[in-house]
Amino acid sequence: MKEFKFESFEKSLPRRKFLLSTGMFAAGAVLSACTLTEEPIRLADADSAAEVPAWPWNYKKLDPEVARKKGYDGYFSNGGCMGGAIVGTLGYLQEEAGAPFTSIPIEMFKYGAGGAVGWGTLCGALNGAGAFLNLLSKDYSKIYNELIGWYCGFPFPSDKHESYCKFPGQITTVSNSPLCHNSVTIWCTEAGVRFDSQEKYDRCAKLTGDVAAKAIELLNAEIEGKFIAAYKPTEEHAACMSCHTGPKSPIGNVQGKMDCLDCHDDHTK
Amino acid sequence: MKEFKFESFEKSLPRRKFLLSTGMFAAGAVLSACTLTEEPIRLADADSAAEVPAWPWNYKKLDPEVARKKGYDGYFSNGGCMGGAIVGTLGYLQEEAGAPFTSIPIEMFKYGAGGAVGWGTLCGALNGAGAFLNLLSKDYSKIYNELIGWYCGFPFPSDKHESYCKFPGQITTVSNSPLCHNSVTIWCTEAGVRFDSQEKYDRCAKLTGDVAAKAIELLNAEIEGKFIAAYKPTEEHAACMSCHTGPKSPIGNVQGKMDCLDCHDDHTK
């Protein structure tokens, strides 16, 4: 089995301050020029640029199960969870519908891997799915809110990747959070494997496919007029928010929908 | 002063399950059709689609101070912090360089507002800046890591918006975190204002401009061969990670670079 490595995480580690002399600055400039140049690309004139359709772009209905497999594969081919979710949604739409979707490079969504180059914030699969939903619907907010709420309570990974995955039969955990840090750490602790193991990469690839599939399920429900916002915050969260937010709360200082008691003690008890 | 309202947050609130009968499903379908249709748009043929340049796209050097003002304005015109950061970076590049940048609709980046439709995860300004950096450099990871590290220690908002902002002279706070929840809640508590107040919107608009400006500063440094990765995690974080991650750690179960002690007690003391 070929070992998968995470380039983007490794590159984000602090590097030594080696650009200290003029000569070394020049060397740095040459290195940089390989990936970043100052000249703008101009491949289209003003007329063709005007052909870019107004947002939101129209949606061609996709198959959640195809998206699930593409999201899994995309995790390994496009820089992790955010890039994988984009392969399973926008990339899939590019294959099915061509332009204008092909004008958005799928590689620009690698940055969300590991909750933003490994910082552990928003799960990258959710981040990629958000961009996809937002591209296609003015009502992205209600659909995306539902997707995030579903994610918090779902036992990842699903068992729908058994026929092609590298590690079938993995244990499942519920993160109770949209944060990569919680999702990965809870699963790794329960599974007894490292965060940079092949087992964990396979688990997150499956999760990526699962999120891509669910985003498409919700979007399909929306165009069929069947979308229902089922997610509700927990009673504990609602109790905290009765003081900390809401139009009539006395404090109203908190922004967020994550479960408060994951990080805070309940100071009312 | 015109009052600013946050559409996307309001739409993400759970709505009543009103689509319960066939007739009401049909009504839902009509409503949905206003913003989401099933037919793909085809405005370009296969040849013109092939004109989309390979990633990463070339960068035309931008002015951080222009980006700062555009990011501030973009917060109000393009759905909040993520959309604003995109206006200040990608939108600015669209004005300066035209195609192919104009083929990516800036409206598709509204979903990150309030840390993903109000969930309080990754700061939307950082989310938008990540997409911009990722579009333009294969080395986005080291630049983005630096931007996030800088964000965690910066006293937002800067005082560089005084001549045009709605609330000059606001207090500043350091969030010690890339999460919207921490950044907003700490500032609101210190400022004594609500999370949905005009004062807070102005603060976050300034922060959005500040993040757009910093992203461009770092990218400019990169093409000039002057980029230095200055950010280092705190000693406390490094101490936790010596067990919880790293190639030789005994556990290696944690993914993330956020400050552990913001949410966890130090169990070694």
Side-chain angles (χ1 to χ4, degrees), chain B residues 222-258:
Chain B
E222 171 72 4
I223 64 166
E224 290 164 3
K226 294 176 183 170
F227 177 85
I228 292 173
Y231 171 73
K232 283 193 168 49
T234 61
E235 281 182 26
E236 290 80 2
H237 183 267
C240 297
M241 290 302 113
S242 68
C243 277
H244 283 286
T245 190
K248 292 182 180 174
S249 75
I251 307 175
N253 63 335
V254 169
Q255 180 148 299
K257 301 179 191 173
M258 294 186 284

PDB file of all heavy atoms in Angstrom, chain B residues 222-258:
ATOM      1  N   GLU B 222       6.693  37.577  -0.132  1.00  0.00           N
ATOM      2  CA  GLU B 222       7.070  36.307  -0.759  1.00  0.00           C
ATOM      3  C   GLU B 222       7.637  36.534  -2.163  1.00  0.00           C
ATOM      4  O   GLU B 222       8.693  35.988  -2.498  1.00  0.00           O
ATOM      5  CB  GLU B 222       5.851  35.382  -0.810  1.00  0.00           C
ATOM      6  CG  GLU B 222       6.020  34.101  -1.611  1.00  0.00           C
ATOM      7  CD  GLU B 222       6.908  33.060  -0.954  1.00  0.00           C
ATOM      8  OE1 GLU B 222       7.364  33.280   0.186  1.00  0.00           O
ATOM      9  OE2 GLU B 222       7.162  32.016  -1.587  1.00  0.00           O
ATOM     10  N   ILE B 223       6.977  37.358  -2.983  1.00  0.00           N
ATOM     11  CA  ILE B 223       7.486  37.531  -4.349  1.00  0.00           C
ATOM     12  C   ILE B 223       8.744  38.386  -4.375  1.00  0.00           C
ATOM     13  O   ILE B 223       9.526  38.306  -5.311  1.00  0.00           O
ATOM     14  CB  ILE B 223       6.444  38.107  -5.351  1.00  0.00           C
ATOM     15  CG1 ILE B 223       6.012  39.503  -4.985  1.00  0.00           C
ATOM     16  CG2 ILE B 223       5.277  37.180  -5.541  1.00  0.00           C
ATOM     17  CD1 ILE B 223       5.271  40.181  -6.133  1.00  0.00           C
ATOM     18  N   GLU B 224       8.967  39.157  -3.314  1.00  0.00           N
ATOM     19  CA  GLU B 224      10.205  39.943  -3.221  1.00  0.00           C
ATOM     20  C   GLU B 224      11.330  39.134  -2.567  1.00  0.00           C
ATOM     21  O   GLU B 224      12.433  39.648  -2.368  1.00  0.00           O
ATOM     22  CB  GLU B 224       9.947  41.216  -2.401  1.00  0.00           C
ATOM     23  CG  GLU B 224       9.058  42.222  -3.123  1.00  0.00           C
ATOM     24  CD  GLU B 224       8.496  43.288  -2.165  1.00  0.00           C
ATOM     25  OE1 GLU B 224       8.845  43.257  -0.964  1.00  0.00           O
ATOM     26  OE2 GLU B 224       7.686  44.114  -2.631  1.00  0.00           O
ATOM     27  N   GLY B 225      11.064  37.895  -2.220  1.00  0.00           N
ATOM     28  CA  GLY B 225      12.071  37.050  -1.566  1.00  0.00           C
ATOM     29  C   GLY B 225      12.346  37.477  -0.140  1.00  0.00           C
ATOM     30  O   GLY B 225      13.384  37.159   0.429  1.00  0.00           O
ATOM     31  N   LYS B 226      11.399  38.205   0.470  1.00  0.00           N
ATOM     32  CA  LYS B 226      11.606  38.732   1.822  1.00  0.00           C
ATOM     33  C   LYS B 226      10.725  38.063   2.873  1.00  0.00           C
ATOM     34  O   LYS B 226      10.699  38.478   4.024  1.00  0.00           O
ATOM     35  CB  LYS B 226      11.336  40.250   1.845  1.00  0.00           C
ATOM     36  CG  LYS B 226      12.327  41.046   1.022  1.00  0.00           C
ATOM     37  CD  LYS B 226      11.931  42.528   1.009  1.00  0.00           C
ATOM     38  CE  LYS B 226      12.896  43.321   0.119  1.00  0.00           C
ATOM     39  NZ  LYS B 226      12.420  44.707  -0.104  1.00  0.00           N
ATOM     40  N   PHE B 227       9.990  37.035   2.459  1.00  0.00           N
ATOM     41  CA  PHE B 227       9.091  36.382   3.422  1.00  0.00           C
ATOM     42  C   PHE B 227       9.876  35.631   4.483  1.00  0.00           C
ATOM     43  O   PHE B 227      10.765  34.844   4.174  1.00  0.00           O
ATOM     44  CB  PHE B 227       8.148  35.410   2.708  1.00  0.00           C
ATOM     45  CG  PHE B 227       7.262  34.657   3.654  1.00  0.00           C
ATOM     46  CD1 PHE B 227       6.082  35.214   4.093  1.00  0.00           C
ATOM     47  CD2 PHE B 227       7.632  33.403   4.143  1.00  0.00           C
ATOM     48  CE1 PHE B 227       5.263  34.536   4.996  1.00  0.00           C
ATOM     49  CE2 PHE B 227       6.827  32.718   5.048  1.00  0.00           C
ATOM     50  CZ  PHE B 227       5.634  33.294   5.468  1.00  0.00           C
ATOM     51  N   ILE B 228       9.534  35.878   5.728  1.00  0.00           N
ATOM     52  CA  ILE B 228      10.126  35.141   6.840  1.00  0.00           C
ATOM     53  C   ILE B 228       8.999  34.618   7.727  1.00  0.00           C
ATOM     54  O   ILE B 228       8.104  35.378   8.108  1.00  0.00           O
ATOM     55  CB  ILE B 228      11.067  36.057   7.672  1.00  0.00           C
ATOM     56  CG1 ILE B 228      12.289  36.433   6.836  1.00  0.00           C
ATOM     57  CG2 ILE B 228      11.501  35.362   8.955  1.00  0.00           C
ATOM     58  CD1 ILE B 228      13.187  37.461   7.483  1.00  0.00           C
ATOM     59  N   ALA B 229       9.051  33.333   8.035  1.00  0.00           N
ATOM     60  CA  ALA B 229       8.043  32.737   8.917  1.00  0.00           C
ATOM     61  C   ALA B 229       8.420  33.073  10.356  1.00  0.00           C
ATOM     62  O   ALA B 229       9.287  32.437  10.942  1.00  0.00           O
ATOM     63  CB  ALA B 229       7.975  31.229   8.694  1.00  0.00           C
ATOM     64  N   ALA B 230       7.786  34.090  10.908  1.00  0.00           N
ATOM     65  CA  ALA B 230       8.154  34.572  12.243  1.00  0.00           C
ATOM     66  C   ALA B 230       7.338  33.918  13.354  1.00  0.00           C
ATOM     67  O   ALA B 230       7.773  33.856  14.493  1.00  0.00           O
ATOM     68  CB  ALA B 230       7.972  36.085  12.315  1.00  0.00           C
ATOM     69  N   TYR B 231       6.145  33.400  12.998  1.00  0.00           N
ATOM     70  CA  TYR B 231       5.263  32.878  14.040  1.00  0.00           C
ATOM     71  C   TYR B 231       5.792  31.586  14.656  1.00  0.00           C
ATOM     72  O   TYR B 231       6.199  30.668  13.946  1.00  0.00           O
ATOM     73  CB  TYR B 231       3.855  32.623  13.487  1.00  0.00           C
ATOM     74  CG  TYR B 231       2.996  31.891  14.475  1.00  0.00           C
ATOM     75  CD1 TYR B 231       2.516  32.546  15.599  1.00  0.00           C
ATOM     76  CD2 TYR B 231       2.700  30.541  14.315  1.00  0.00           C
ATOM     77  CE1 TYR B 231       1.748  31.875  16.541  1.00  0.00           C
ATOM     78  CE2 TYR B 231       1.934  29.861  15.252  1.00  0.00           C
ATOM     79  CZ  TYR B 231       1.464  30.534  16.361  1.00  0.00           C
ATOM     80  OH  TYR B 231       0.719  29.856  17.287  1.00  0.00           O
ATOM     81  N   LYS B 232       5.755  31.561  15.962  1.00  0.00           N
ATOM     82  CA  LYS B 232       6.067  30.324  16.692  1.00  0.00           C
ATOM     83  C   LYS B 232       4.982  30.092  17.734  1.00  0.00           C
ATOM     84  O   LYS B 232       4.550  31.037  18.395  1.00  0.00           O
ATOM     85  CB  LYS B 232       7.421  30.448  17.391  1.00  0.00           C
ATOM     86  CG  LYS B 232       8.602  30.305  16.458  1.00  0.00           C
ATOM     87  CD  LYS B 232       9.901  30.110  17.231  1.00  0.00           C
ATOM     88  CE  LYS B 232      11.034  29.683  16.305  1.00  0.00           C
ATOM     89  NZ  LYS B 232      11.158  30.515  15.102  1.00  0.00           N
ATOM     90  N   PRO B 233       4.557  28.836  17.906  1.00  0.00           N
ATOM     91  CA  PRO B 233       3.574  28.559  18.965  1.00  0.00           C
ATOM     92  C   PRO B 233       4.146  28.926  20.342  1.00  0.00           C
ATOM     93  O   PRO B 233       5.369  28.982  20.512  1.00  0.00           O
ATOM     94  CB  PRO B 233       3.361  27.040  18.864  1.00  0.00           C
ATOM     95  CG  PRO B 233       3.866  26.655  17.522  1.00  0.00           C
ATOM     96  CD  PRO B 233       4.951  27.626  17.188  1.00  0.00           C
ATOM     97  N   THR B 234       3.272  29.137  21.319  1.00  0.00           N
ATOM     98  CA  THR B 234       3.729  29.472  22.670  1.00  0.00           C
ATOM     99  C   THR B 234       4.456  28.281  23.301  1.00  0.00           C
ATOM    100  O   THR B 234       4.291  27.138  22.875  1.00  0.00           O
ATOM    101  CB  THR B 234       2.534  29.824  23.584  1.00  0.00           C
ATOM    102  OG1 THR B 234       1.683  28.674  23.666  1.00  0.00           O
ATOM    103  CG2 THR B 234       1.754  31.008  23.040  1.00  0.00           C
ATOM    104  N   GLU B 235       5.212  28.575  24.349  1.00  0.00           N
ATOM    105  CA  GLU B 235       5.927  27.497  25.063  1.00  0.00           C
ATOM    106  C   GLU B 235       4.939  26.509  25.689  1.00  0.00           C
ATOM    107  O   GLU B 235       5.195  25.310  25.737  1.00  0.00           O
ATOM    108  CB  GLU B 235       6.818  28.094  26.154  1.00  0.00           C
ATOM    109  CG  GLU B 235       8.117  28.651  25.595  1.00  0.00           C
ATOM    110  CD  GLU B 235       9.020  29.206  26.689  1.00  0.00           C
ATOM    111  OE1 GLU B 235       8.910  28.758  27.837  1.00  0.00           O
ATOM    112  OE2 GLU B 235       9.831  30.094  26.369  1.00  0.00           O
ATOM    113  N   GLU B 236       3.825  27.041  26.178  1.00  0.00           N
ATOM    114  CA  GLU B 236       2.808  26.175  26.793  1.00  0.00           C
ATOM    115  C   GLU B 236       2.284  25.168  25.761  1.00  0.00           C
ATOM    116  O   GLU B 236       2.139  23.987  26.038  1.00  0.00           O
ATOM    117  CB  GLU B 236       1.628  27.000  27.327  1.00  0.00           C
ATOM    118  CG  GLU B 236       1.941  27.848  28.546  1.00  0.00           C
ATOM    119  CD  GLU B 236       2.649  29.150  28.215  1.00  0.00           C
ATOM    120  OE1 GLU B 236       2.870  29.435  27.015  1.00  0.00           O
ATOM    121  OE2 GLU B 236       3.002  29.884  29.154  1.00  0.00           O
ATOM    122  N   HIS B 237       2.013  25.673  24.554  1.00  0.00           N
ATOM    123  CA  HIS B 237       1.506  24.811  23.495  1.00  0.00           C
ATOM    124  C   HIS B 237       2.545  23.754  23.130  1.00  0.00           C
ATOM    125  O   HIS B 237       2.220  22.564  22.980  1.00  0.00           O
ATOM    126  CB  HIS B 237       1.153  25.661  22.266  1.00  0.00           C
ATOM    127  CG  HIS B 237       0.551  24.882  21.140  1.00  0.00           C
ATOM    128  ND1 HIS B 237       1.301  24.366  20.118  1.00  0.00           N
ATOM    129  CD2 HIS B 237      -0.717  24.511  20.892  1.00  0.00           C
ATOM    130  CE1 HIS B 237       0.506  23.714  19.280  1.00  0.00           C
ATOM    131  NE2 HIS B 237      -0.721  23.791  19.717  1.00  0.00           N
ATOM    132  N   ALA B 238       3.781  24.193  23.025  1.00  0.00           N
ATOM    133  CA  ALA B 238       4.857  23.254  22.682  1.00  0.00           C
ATOM    134  C   ALA B 238       4.984  22.166  23.742  1.00  0.00           C
ATOM    135  O   ALA B 238       5.238  20.993  23.430  1.00  0.00           O
ATOM    136  CB  ALA B 238       6.169  24.022  22.521  1.00  0.00           C
ATOM    137  N   ALA B 239       4.789  22.550  25.016  1.00  0.00           N
ATOM    138  CA  ALA B 239       4.876  21.567  26.103  1.00  0.00           C
ATOM    139  C   ALA B 239       3.773  20.511  25.976  1.00  0.00           C
ATOM    140  O   ALA B 239       4.028  19.307  26.117  1.00  0.00           O
ATOM    141  CB  ALA B 239       4.777  22.276  27.459  1.00  0.00           C
ATOM    142  N   CYS B 240       2.563  20.948  25.672  1.00  0.00           N
ATOM    143  CA  CYS B 240       1.457  19.987  25.488  1.00  0.00           C
ATOM    144  C   CYS B 240       1.763  19.062  24.308  1.00  0.00           C
ATOM    145  O   CYS B 240       1.562  17.851  24.374  1.00  0.00           O
ATOM    146  CB  CYS B 240       0.144  20.717  25.220  1.00  0.00           C
ATOM    147  SG  CYS B 240      -0.415  21.768  26.573  1.00  0.00           S
ATOM    148  N   MET B 241       2.250  19.677  23.226  1.00  0.00           N
ATOM    149  CA  MET B 241       2.468  18.912  21.998  1.00  0.00           C
ATOM    150  C   MET B 241       3.605  17.907  22.124  1.00  0.00           C
ATOM    151  O   MET B 241       3.660  16.948  21.367  1.00  0.00           O
ATOM    152  CB  MET B 241       2.731  19.859  20.821  1.00  0.00           C
ATOM    153  CG  MET B 241       1.512  20.661  20.395  1.00  0.00           C
ATOM    154  SD  MET B 241       0.096  19.620  19.917  1.00  0.00           S
ATOM    155  CE  MET B 241      -1.065  19.985  21.211  1.00  0.00           C
ATOM    156  N   SER B 242       4.496  18.126  23.087  1.00  0.00           N
ATOM    157  CA  SER B 242       5.608  17.185  23.234  1.00  0.00           C
ATOM    158  C   SER B 242       5.096  15.779  23.542  1.00  0.00           C
ATOM    159  O   SER B 242       5.774  14.792  23.247  1.00  0.00           O
ATOM    160  CB  SER B 242       6.583  17.676  24.311  1.00  0.00           C
ATOM    161  OG  SER B 242       5.963  17.615  25.580  1.00  0.00           O
ATOM    162  N   CYS B 243       3.927  15.691  24.167  1.00  0.00           N
ATOM    163  CA  CYS B 243       3.300  14.379  24.351  1.00  0.00           C
ATOM    164  C   CYS B 243       2.218  14.098  23.303  1.00  0.00           C
ATOM    165  O   CYS B 243       2.078  12.983  22.823  1.00  0.00           O
ATOM    166  CB  CYS B 243       2.641  14.261  25.730  1.00  0.00           C
ATOM    167  SG  CYS B 243       3.802  13.813  27.029  1.00  0.00           S
ATOM    168  N   HIS B 244       1.441  15.128  22.972  1.00  0.00           N
ATOM    169  CA  HIS B 244       0.219  14.870  22.202  1.00  0.00           C
ATOM    170  C   HIS B 244       0.414  14.850  20.687  1.00  0.00           C
ATOM    171  O   HIS B 244      -0.518  14.538  19.949  1.00  0.00           O
ATOM    172  CB  HIS B 244      -0.859  15.887  22.589  1.00  0.00           C
ATOM    173  CG  HIS B 244      -1.505  15.577  23.892  1.00  0.00           C
ATOM    174  ND1 HIS B 244      -2.400  14.559  24.036  1.00  0.00           N
ATOM    175  CD2 HIS B 244      -1.349  16.129  25.134  1.00  0.00           C
ATOM    176  CE1 HIS B 244      -2.802  14.504  25.292  1.00  0.00           C
ATOM    177  NE2 HIS B 244      -2.170  15.436  25.988  1.00  0.00           N
ATOM    178  N   THR B 245       1.583  15.263  20.225  1.00  0.00           N
ATOM    179  CA  THR B 245       1.826  15.202  18.784  1.00  0.00           C
ATOM    180  C   THR B 245       3.342  15.144  18.525  1.00  0.00           C
ATOM    181  O   THR B 245       4.094  14.894  19.437  1.00  0.00           O
ATOM    182  CB  THR B 245       1.147  16.397  18.059  1.00  0.00           C
ATOM    183  OG1 THR B 245       1.202  16.178  16.671  1.00  0.00           O
ATOM    184  CG2 THR B 245       1.811  17.712  18.399  1.00  0.00           C
ATOM    185  N   GLY B 246       3.765  15.384  17.305  1.00  0.00           N
ATOM    186  CA  GLY B 246       5.190  15.311  16.989  1.00  0.00           C
ATOM    187  C   GLY B 246       5.589  13.887  16.653  1.00  0.00           C
ATOM    188  O   GLY B 246       4.988  12.928  17.146  1.00  0.00           O
ATOM    189  N   PRO B 247       6.643  13.738  15.836  1.00  0.00           N
ATOM    190  CA  PRO B 247       6.994  12.393  15.336  1.00  0.00           C
ATOM    191  C   PRO B 247       7.398  11.399  16.416  1.00  0.00           C
ATOM    192  O   PRO B 247       7.255  10.207  16.237  1.00  0.00           O
ATOM    193  CB  PRO B 247       8.154  12.671  14.373  1.00  0.00           C
ATOM    194  CG  PRO B 247       8.630  14.049  14.674  1.00  0.00           C
ATOM    195  CD  PRO B 247       7.489  14.797  15.268  1.00  0.00           C
ATOM    196  N   LYS B 248       7.910  11.887  17.566  1.00  0.00           N
ATOM    197  CA  LYS B 248       8.358  10.945  18.599  1.00  0.00           C
ATOM    198  C   LYS B 248       7.498  10.993  19.862  1.00  0.00           C
ATOM    199  O   LYS B 248       7.893  10.497  20.911  1.00  0.00           O
ATOM    200  CB  LYS B 248       9.820  11.233  18.951  1.00  0.00           C
ATOM    201  CG  LYS B 248      10.768  10.894  17.803  1.00  0.00           C
ATOM    202  CD  LYS B 248      12.208  11.137  18.178  1.00  0.00           C
ATOM    203  CE  LYS B 248      13.117  10.776  17.002  1.00  0.00           C
ATOM    204  NZ  LYS B 248      14.515  11.135  17.274  1.00  0.00           N
ATOM    205  N   SER B 249       6.345  11.619  19.764  1.00  0.00           N
ATOM    206  CA  SER B 249       5.511  11.726  20.967  1.00  0.00           C
ATOM    207  C   SER B 249       4.868  10.379  21.281  1.00  0.00           C
ATOM    208  O   SER B 249       4.590   9.591  20.383  1.00  0.00           O
ATOM    209  CB  SER B 249       4.435  12.789  20.767  1.00  0.00           C
ATOM    210  OG  SER B 249       3.421  12.289  19.929  1.00  0.00           O
ATOM    211  N   PRO B 250       4.639  10.110  22.581  1.00  0.00           N
ATOM    212  CA  PRO B 250       4.071   8.813  22.957  1.00  0.00           C
ATOM    213  C   PRO B 250       2.594   8.653  22.596  1.00  0.00           C
ATOM    214  O   PRO B 250       2.102   7.540  22.495  1.00  0.00           O
ATOM    215  CB  PRO B 250       4.258   8.781  24.475  1.00  0.00           C
ATOM    216  CG  PRO B 250       4.348  10.211  24.894  1.00  0.00           C
ATOM    217  CD  PRO B 250       4.958  10.947  23.741  1.00  0.00           C
ATOM    218  N   ILE B 251       1.884   9.771  22.421  1.00  0.00           N
ATOM    219  CA  ILE B 251       0.441   9.655  22.187  1.00  0.00           C
ATOM    220  C   ILE B 251       0.100  10.022  20.735  1.00  0.00           C
ATOM    221  O   ILE B 251      -0.419   9.214  19.991  1.00  0.00           O
ATOM    222  CB  ILE B 251      -0.364  10.547  23.163  1.00  0.00           C
ATOM    223  CG1 ILE B 251       0.041  10.262  24.613  1.00  0.00           C
ATOM    224  CG2 ILE B 251      -1.856  10.309  22.969  1.00  0.00           C
ATOM    225  CD1 ILE B 251      -0.612  11.159  25.638  1.00  0.00           C
ATOM    226  N   GLY B 252       0.403  11.265  20.359  1.00  0.00           N
ATOM    227  CA  GLY B 252       0.179  11.688  18.964  1.00  0.00           C
ATOM    228  C   GLY B 252      -1.267  11.657  18.544  1.00  0.00           C
ATOM    229  O   GLY B 252      -1.583  11.310  17.418  1.00  0.00           O
ATOM    230  N   ASN B 253      -2.173  12.024  19.472  1.00  0.00           N
ATOM    231  CA  ASN B 253      -3.590  11.921  19.138  1.00  0.00           C
ATOM    232  C   ASN B 253      -4.241  13.264  18.783  1.00  0.00           C
ATOM    233  O   ASN B 253      -5.424  13.314  18.474  1.00  0.00           O
ATOM    234  CB  ASN B 253      -4.367  11.283  20.301  1.00  0.00           C
ATOM    235  CG  ASN B 253      -4.318  12.136  21.561  1.00  0.00           C
ATOM    236  OD1 ASN B 253      -3.388  12.924  21.731  1.00  0.00           O
ATOM    237  ND2 ASN B 253      -5.286  11.978  22.430  1.00  0.00           N
ATOM    238  N   VAL B 254      -3.474  14.362  18.852  1.00  0.00           N
ATOM    239  CA  VAL B 254      -4.092  15.690  18.719  1.00  0.00           C
ATOM    240  C   VAL B 254      -3.763  16.333  17.372  1.00  0.00           C
ATOM    241  O   VAL B 254      -2.606  16.409  16.982  1.00  0.00           O
ATOM    242  CB  VAL B 254      -3.629  16.625  19.866  1.00  0.00           C
ATOM    243  CG1 VAL B 254      -4.033  18.066  19.588  1.00  0.00           C
ATOM    244  CG2 VAL B 254      -4.217  16.161  21.183  1.00  0.00           C
ATOM    245  N   GLN B 255      -4.794  16.813  16.703  1.00  0.00           N
ATOM    246  CA  GLN B 255      -4.580  17.610  15.496  1.00  0.00           C
ATOM    247  C   GLN B 255      -4.968  19.057  15.813  1.00  0.00           C
ATOM    248  O   GLN B 255      -6.069  19.303  16.281  1.00  0.00           O
ATOM    249  CB  GLN B 255      -5.425  17.096  14.342  1.00  0.00           C
ATOM    250  CG  GLN B 255      -5.227  17.907  13.068  1.00  0.00           C
ATOM    251  CD  GLN B 255      -5.374  17.044  11.832  1.00  0.00           C
ATOM    252  OE1 GLN B 255      -4.617  16.094  11.631  1.00  0.00           O
ATOM    253  NE2 GLN B 255      -6.325  17.366  11.008  1.00  0.00           N
ATOM    254  N   GLY B 256      -4.071  19.979  15.541  1.00  0.00           N
ATOM    255  CA  GLY B 256      -4.402  21.380  15.758  1.00  0.00           C
ATOM    256  C   GLY B 256      -3.223  22.188  16.239  1.00  0.00           C
ATOM    257  O   GLY B 256      -2.251  21.638  16.765  1.00  0.00           O
ATOM    258  N   LYS B 257      -3.302  23.508  16.035  1.00  0.00           N
ATOM    259  CA  LYS B 257      -2.253  24.413  16.494  1.00  0.00           C
ATOM    260  C   LYS B 257      -2.813  25.483  17.427  1.00  0.00           C
ATOM    261  O   LYS B 257      -2.126  26.420  17.789  1.00  0.00           O
ATOM    262  CB  LYS B 257      -1.588  25.078  15.290  1.00  0.00           C
ATOM    263  CG  LYS B 257      -0.962  24.103  14.305  1.00  0.00           C
ATOM    264  CD  LYS B 257      -0.339  24.849  13.132  1.00  0.00           C
ATOM    265  CE  LYS B 257       0.046  23.889  12.017  1.00  0.00           C
ATOM    266  NZ  LYS B 257       0.498  24.601  10.807  1.00  0.00           N
ATOM    267  N   MET B 258      -4.084  25.366  17.785  1.00  0.00           N
ATOM    268  CA  MET B 258      -4.680  26.358  18.683  1.00  0.00           C
ATOM    269  C   MET B 258      -4.147  26.163  20.096  1.00  0.00           C
ATOM    270  O   MET B 258      -3.684  25.092  20.454  1.00  0.00           O
ATOM    271  CB  MET B 258      -6.209  26.216  18.667  1.00  0.00           C
ATOM    272  CG  MET B 258      -6.809  26.562  17.319  1.00  0.00           C
ATOM    273  SD  MET B 258      -8.621  26.581  17.305  1.00  0.00           S
ATOM    274  CE  MET B 258      -9.014  24.820  17.292  1.00  0.00           C
TER     275      MET B 258
END
